[in-house]
Amino acid sequence: MSSLKYWLWLATRKGIGVQGMHTVLERFGTPEQAFFADPEEYDLLPSALAAGLKDRSMVQAEQVLADCDRLGIRIMTLQDADYPARLRQLDDAPCVLYLKGKLPDLDEEVCVGVVGTRQASEYGKTVAGRLGLELARGGAVVVSGIASGIDTCAVRGTLQAGGRAVCVLGGGIDVPYPWENRFLYEDVAATGLLISEYPPGTENLGSHFPVRNRIISGLSLGVVVVEAREYGSGAIITANLALEQNRDVFAVPGNVDAPHSRGCIRLIQQGAKPVLSAEEILEEYRDRYPVRLVKMPPMAPEEQRQRLEHVQVSETPFRQKAPVDKGKDKEYSVLKRRADSFTDDELAIIHAMGDKSCQPDELVERTQIPTRRVLSALTMLQIAGCVEEKPGKRFISTVQLEKE
């Protein structure tokens, strides 16, 4: 734990980033040695790195440690023995990872990335769900990003088969995105793994997603693109990263007139293997991983249809919505909870809200709790169904605290 705080110190320095961390490690060996180095040595590095290293405050590192401990998130660094070798070989391997769930030996698994557009067609959603279902039945681990559209359907298909999914996030593990996938986050963490290189409380910024794609492809033996635009698509970025990392690339053919099929068609023209089923992917790896992969008999069409029925619904089938109490003109569920079932931050936020809707900034002012902790607590309260978000990013409590 003592060395871990120095990794977090380095990871939270302003202006350093992943490549900067690697530069620092090459120069000093470890984050701890960098921390205790003579400041004059920093001047031998690029100015942005030097400026970041001269800030030796441990406040952020200690906050991240506390958040991870509270949320049950494991922190993994490049120095850990079980850090995936497939990732370690990347030039821009993430130096710090945040994990929630069950960590298998990913280097021994047949990990297949399934990616595609958020604006998926009904055809694309069905294919993604079927691929997730069939890959999981065959023994593969599905790696995806849990974004809307193709990612979500692939992950749900995987879970419908009782399989394992590894989802790489573009924000903190405690900040579900999109919000409607918050229960899907829980289900993945219960059976598979959530991974992020961003600490708890980090918002899902658009700039984070292209960066996280290298982890999806890096963990995978191969990546299959289901639907994607020809240009500017995150899925195409992932496919190109896979090629750079010497991974296999597969693509699902689609209608030549459909905009979200053009990316797959272009990948096939460039050498990606066209696939019509998960079996065509699994057969590429069966000889190398005979123990991991099994050849399952085809699922009966009716059973497959029933399982895939749940893949495209707006709410994940593994959770049910709470009943709505419309008494007193309320449009949300009223839950009774004991005060001791909440953390101090959560309880302070519930009290600060009262029966009024509040924006996060208002809650920060009323509670004097730092913004990151307020956002993290709001997320956990939303997951528990104790807070609902209203238009204008306003939040309202659905909790009635029980008297002791």
Side-chain angles (χ1 to χ4, degrees):
M1 184 64 74
S2 61
S3 66
L4 182 56
K5 69 179 180 181
Y6 296 106
W7 282 93
L8 295 178
W9 164 77
L10 182 58
T12 54
R13 293 312 84 196
K14 186 176 179 180
I16 289 186
V18 174
Q19 293 290 6
M21 287 186 70
H22 281 281
T23 299
V24 171
L25 292 173
E26 288 173 9
R27 174 68 180 83
F28 295 102
T30 68
E32 187 170 0
Q33 289 174 318
F35 182 86
F36 288 107
D38 189 320
E40 292 183 359
E41 294 187 64
Y42 299 157
D43 293 331
L44 300 175
L45 298 169
S47 58
L49 294 185
L53 294 176
K54 288 175 181 177
D55 174 8
R56 298 192 183 184
S57 170
M58 279 289 183
V59 173
Q60 286 178 280
E62 289 170 354
Q63 183 61 62
V64 171
L65 278 171
D67 288 343
C68 289
D69 183 61
R70 175 172 53 84
L71 297 168
I73 294 171
R74 178 189 167 183
I75 305 170
M76 172 182 279
T77 73
L78 268 173
Q79 72 176 359
D80 293 331
D82 55 351
Y83 186 100
R86 290 176 191 165
L87 276 187
R88 195 190 298 274
Q89 65 187 226
L90 305 184
D91 292 337
D92 54 356
C95 296
V96 176
L97 290 171
Y98 302 90
L99 315 173
K100 189 163 189 177
K102 301 177 180 179
L103 177 65
D105 186 348
L106 294 174
D107 295 317
E108 297 298 321
E109 299 287 349
V110 179
C111 295
V112 178
V114 182
V115 296
T117 180
R118 290 175 170 82
Q119 293 79 42
S121 67
E122 293 304 306
Y123 162 77
K125 293 176 183 178
T126 299
V127 171
R130 185 183 302 132
L131 282 174
L133 186 75
E134 293 176 351
L135 286 168
R137 289 184 74 235
V141 172
V142 171
V143 183
S144 196
I146 209 169
S148 302
I150 296 300
D151 290 12
T152 291
C153 291
V155 172
R156 286 179 174 158
T158 302
L159 298 181
Q160 284 289 340
R164 295 166 296 166
V166 173
C167 293
V168 187
L169 313 178
I173 286 176
D174 60 331
V175 187
Y177 179 83
W179 172 242
E180 57 267 23
N181 275 0
R182 60 196 183 278
F183 297 134
L184 191 57
Y185 270 55
E186 294 180 35
D187 292 316
V188 170
T191 59
L193 187 67
L194 298 172
I195 298 182
S196 178
E197 61 183 315
Y198 301 103
T202 304
E203 292 296 311
N204 292 266
L205 302 179
S207 59
H208 292 175
F209 292 97
V211 176
R212 70 92 197 260
N213 289 346
R214 79 192 194 286
I215 301 177
I216 295 176
S217 55
L219 288 172
S220 304
L221 294 174
V223 171
V224 54
V225 181
V226 178
E227 282 187 325
R229 298 190 310 274
E230 187 172 1
Y231 302 108
S233 163
I236 298 300
I237 292 173
T238 307
N240 289 333
L241 288 167
L243 290 172
E244 292 175 11
Q245 296 164 354
N246 199 29
R247 304 317 195 239
D248 299 321
V249 176
F250 308 92
V252 175
N255 185 337
V256 295
D257 294 322
H260 289 107
S261 291
R262 302 284 294 184
C264 291
I265 292 169
R266 187 67 67 196
L267 285 174
I268 292 169
Q269 289 178 330
Q270 294 170 349
K273 178 180 178 178
V275 292
L276 306 180
S277 68
E279 175 58 29
E280 295 177 353
I281 299 170
L282 294 173
E283 69 183 7
E284 294 286 325
Y285 307 112
R286 191 165 279 117
D287 288 344
R288 289 161 55 190
Y289 297 88
V291 176
R292 296 291 180 186
L293 299 182
V294 294
K295 192 160 188 176
M296 298 291 290
M299 184 176 286
E302 180 61 22
E303 181 183 358
Q304 184 181 90
R305 184 190 65 78
Q306 289 177 353
R307 294 204 189 191
L308 293 179
E309 270 181 0
H310 301 290
V311 164
Q312 298 182 38
V313 295
S314 59
E315 284 279 338
T316 178
F318 303 94
R319 295 285 187 275
Q320 298 295 325
K321 290 182 179 179
V324 175
D325 176 3
K326 294 189 177 179
K328 300 180 182 179
D329 297 325
K330 288 184 178 179
E331 297 180 351
Y332 51 84
S333 305
V334 177
L335 304 174
K336 291 187 177 182
R337 293 284 190 274
R338 288 174 54 88
D340 59 9
S341 66
F342 298 102
T343 66
D344 291 343
D345 285 356
E346 292 167 352
L347 197 58
I349 286 170
I350 290 170
H351 283 305
M353 284 181 176
D355 59 357
K356 306 292 185 182
S357 64
C358 301
Q359 292 184 321
D361 288 347
E362 295 174 295
L363 293 171
V364 170
E365 184 176 349
R366 293 181 188 181
T367 63
Q368 295 300 299
I369 297 173
T371 302
R372 172 179 284 185
R373 285 166 53 190
V374 167
L375 293 173
S376 178
L378 280 173
T379 297
M380 300 310 293
L381 287 168
Q382 286 176 286
I383 289 173
C386 298
V387 162
E388 287 195 356
E389 184 174 358
K390 298 297 181 183
K393 202 166 179 61
R394 302 188 70 85
F395 297 85
I396 189 165
S397 170
T398 64
V399 173
Q400 183 180 88
L401 295 175
E402 294 180 331
K403 294 181 180 179
E404 303 210 1

